[in-house]
């Protein structure tokens, strides 16, 4: 429902129901520039699903969306935000022993960096070769009591079909999320139709989203909360939405990292090229200001583009 309003442009009258089969094809990539070796993941998803929507009073609605399909993976598998490669205890002991064998600090630093890079390359692979075909799912329930407020919960299962030498292997990853969105206006801002600055408030909204993630072996990766401010508007048929703010992230105990505040945002574009076809693109950069074991100061990016077909 995020791409072009899969439920349709016209709100349902109270008591009305509609069912809309959907197909979403998306190519996306993740770039973790703040981690040693700069690991990356690429995938093409083919998601098949349906949106079930019921009209409520006050222009409200209740909707359930479910999608399932293959994810053709290059490089790393997609994983929950903040996952780090944690060195084994024996490897850490070897590095500690090596540290006492070198009197020259600069020589040791050079060897340490080389060793880290070599181990990371072994863990994540070099380049982005085709790995395998995973299975990806998405289930969301959204309650919108009126045209200003929306509450949703989502489950995103992801089945990894083959090991690739990472910390975690074959199995089902899980991600759970909940979000509240409040719009200050009706969202009907179209600068191509002559709307000016006095109409900006109609496109402003606030959202609070919480997400938690588990790896395929059940390891809890962590959770984060995004209290973000956003602004959405149209230029003719093109919809543009900006949002951003702090990300309060609590890593799982496996990582040895402490709670921190990152900063992020997202730019989303939606453009309908037909009554039942919507093109979309998005970019989400997140900046970390604190470093730790396996985690550095810097940027992570996730970008994607694709199309949704509504039948």
């Amino acid at each position: 429902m995020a791409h072009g309003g899969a439920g349709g442009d016209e709100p349902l009258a109270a008591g009305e129901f509609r069912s809309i089969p959907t197909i979403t094809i998306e190519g996306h990539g993740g770039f973790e520039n703040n981690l040693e070796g700069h690991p990356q993941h690429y995938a093409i998803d083919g998601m098949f699903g349906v949106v079930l929507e019921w009209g409520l009073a006050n222009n409200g609605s209740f909707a359930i969306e479910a999608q399932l399909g293959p994810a053709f993976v290059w490089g790393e598998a997609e994983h929950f935000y903040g996952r780090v490669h944690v060195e084994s205890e024996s490897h850490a002991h070897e590095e500690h022993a090596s540290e006492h064998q070198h009197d020259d600090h600069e020589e040791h630093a050079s060897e340490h960096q080389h060793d880290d890079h070599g181990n990371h390359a072994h863990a994540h692979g070099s380049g982005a070769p085709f790995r395998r075909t995973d299975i990806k799912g998405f289930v969301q329930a959204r309650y919108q009591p009126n045209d200003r407020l929306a509450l949703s919960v989502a489950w995103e299962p992801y089945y990894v079909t083959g090991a690739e030498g990472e910390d975690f292997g074959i199995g089902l990853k899980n991600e759970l999320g909940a979000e509240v969105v409040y719009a200050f206006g009706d969202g009907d801002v179209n600068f191509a139709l002559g709307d000016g600055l006095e109409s900006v408030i109609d496109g402003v909204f606030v959202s609070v989203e919480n997400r938690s993630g588990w790896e395929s072996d059940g390891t809890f990766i962590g959770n984060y909360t995004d209290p973000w401010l956003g602004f959405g508007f149209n230029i003719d048929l093109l919809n543009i939405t900006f949002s951003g703010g702090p990300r309060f992230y609590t890593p799982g105990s496996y990582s040895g990292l402490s709670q921190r505040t990152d900063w992020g945002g997202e730019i989303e574009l939606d453009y309908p090229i037909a009554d039942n076809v919507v093109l979309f693109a998005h970019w989400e950069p997140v900046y970390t200001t604190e470093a730790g074991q396996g985690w550095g100061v810097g940027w992570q990016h996730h970008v994607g583009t694709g199309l949704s077909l509504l039948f």
Side-chain angles (χ1 to χ4, degrees):
M1 310 245 346
H3 300 302
D9 293 331
E10 296 298 326
L12 286 174
E16 289 188 351
F17 167 78
R18 63 184 162 202
S19 172
I20 304 177
T22 66
I23 297 177
T24 299
I25 301 172
E26 179 182 6
H28 57 93
F31 310 92
E32 298 171 306
N33 295 331
N34 62 325
L35 300 186
E36 181 73 25
H38 297 177
Q40 302 174 4
H41 81 259
Y42 303 90
I44 297 176
D45 303 338
M47 305 287 284
F48 302 84
V50 64
V51 177
L52 308 175
E53 186 174 17
W54 293 262
L56 304 177
N58 301 317
N59 292 323
S61 68
F62 176 75
I64 296 175
E65 180 176 3
Q67 296 188 60
L68 182 69
F72 304 100
V73 180
W74 286 259
E76 286 198 330
E78 186 175 353
H79 54 74
F80 186 74
Y81 176 81
R83 201 201 74 176
V84 296
H85 171 68
V86 180
E87 294 178 341
S88 67
E89 185 175 336
S90 60
H91 178 65
H93 178 75
E94 290 174 3
E95 284 191 347
H96 182 71
S98 176
E99 186 175 329
H100 291 284
Q101 294 174 3
H102 298 276
D103 295 326
D104 188 294
H105 177 75
E106 292 183 359
E107 180 183 351
H108 169 68
S110 174
E111 291 190 2
H112 179 74
Q113 291 171 6
H114 175 76
D115 185 58
D116 275 354
H117 180 77
N119 278 279
H120 188 88
H122 175 72
H124 296 286
S126 58
F130 179 74
R131 297 290 189 183
R132 63 184 178 271
T133 301
D134 292 337
I135 304 298
K136 187 174 183 178
F138 175 77
V139 180
Q140 176 181 263
R142 186 206 64 191
Y143 171 59
Q144 187 171 329
N146 53 56
D147 57 3
R148 299 292 181 91
L149 179 65
L151 304 92
S152 63
V153 292
W155 171 43
E156 298 184 33
Y158 185 102
Y159 189 79
V160 182
T161 60
E164 57 178 337
E166 297 183 8
D167 304 323
F168 310 101
I170 298 173
L172 183 67
K173 302 182 182 186
N174 287 281
E175 185 172 332
L176 296 177
E179 184 178 25
V180 178
V181 180
Y182 180 79
F184 291 98
D186 58 14
D188 188 15
V189 181
N190 196 322
F191 292 128
L193 300 181
D195 289 340
L197 293 179
E198 70 278 2
S199 302
V200 166
I201 190 62
D202 284 334
V204 175
F205 63 91
V206 292
S207 65
V208 179
E209 181 178 25
N210 178 269
R211 286 186 173 271
S212 299
W214 290 262
E215 266 294 342
S216 54
D217 66 347
T219 299
F220 178 62
I221 298 300
N223 75 84
Y224 64 81
T225 300
D226 293 343
W228 287 6
L229 178 67
F231 175 52
F233 60 94
N234 281 68
I235 300 178
D236 197 11
L237 296 178
L238 175 65
N239 179 264
I240 304 172
T241 302
F242 298 94
S243 60
R247 169 166 290 181
F248 303 114
Y249 179 61
T250 302
S253 59
Y254 83 100
S255 68
L257 300 175
S258 59
Q259 191 277 336
R260 65 175 186 270
T261 300
D262 297 340
W263 295 87
E266 186 168 25
I267 301 174
E268 299 175 87
L269 307 175
D270 295 292
Y271 187 83
I273 60 174
D275 290 342
N276 65 334
V277 182
V278 179
L279 298 178
F280 63 86
H282 62 95
W283 168 41
E284 181 180 297
V286 180
Y287 186 78
T288 298
T289 58
E290 300 178 30
Q293 180 189 7
W295 187 269
V297 172
W299 290 96
Q300 292 195 67
H301 300 271
H302 190 274
V303 296
T305 185
L307 60 86
S308 291
L309 298 93
L310 320 174
F311 299 97

